[in-house]
Amino acid sequence: PGPVTPPPIASLAVTPSSATLVAGQTVTLAATARDAAGATLTGRAITFVSSAPAVATVSASGAVTAIATGTTTITASGEGQSASAAIT
């Protein structure tokens, strides 16, 4: 038999979906990928991006660090799916 093709990501969720931080505080977001049946998928490449890096930055692992007062959206994406968290 040929190689097994892993199921594609059907949905992505980010927890927590929102957080309030003051400058210097950090929160770690977790992205959960699920297939069409709702089963959790592991080992998938998920990227995190901040819509306003001057307000908060995010690492490749989802660690968000507040830089200044304001609002930003952290978006996690993978395999064409995305989910976001509001950071204020």
Side-chain angles (χ1 to χ4, degrees):
V4 174
T5 303
I9 295 175
S11 67
L12 201 57
V14 174
T15 52
S17 60
S18 65
T20 300
L21 303 174
V22 297
Q25 280 188 316
T26 300
V27 64
T28 299
L29 302 178
T32 304
R34 298 188 187 283
D35 66 13
T40 300
L41 302 172
T42 58
R44 301 306 174 95
I46 305 295
T47 57
F48 290 91
V49 177
S50 173
S51 66
V55 174
T57 59
V58 63
S59 72
S61 61
V64 178
T65 301
I67 304 299
T69 301
T71 301
T72 185
T73 300
I74 306 298
T75 302
S77 356
E79 296 181 21
Q81 301 296 318
S82 65
S84 60
I87 306 297
T88 55

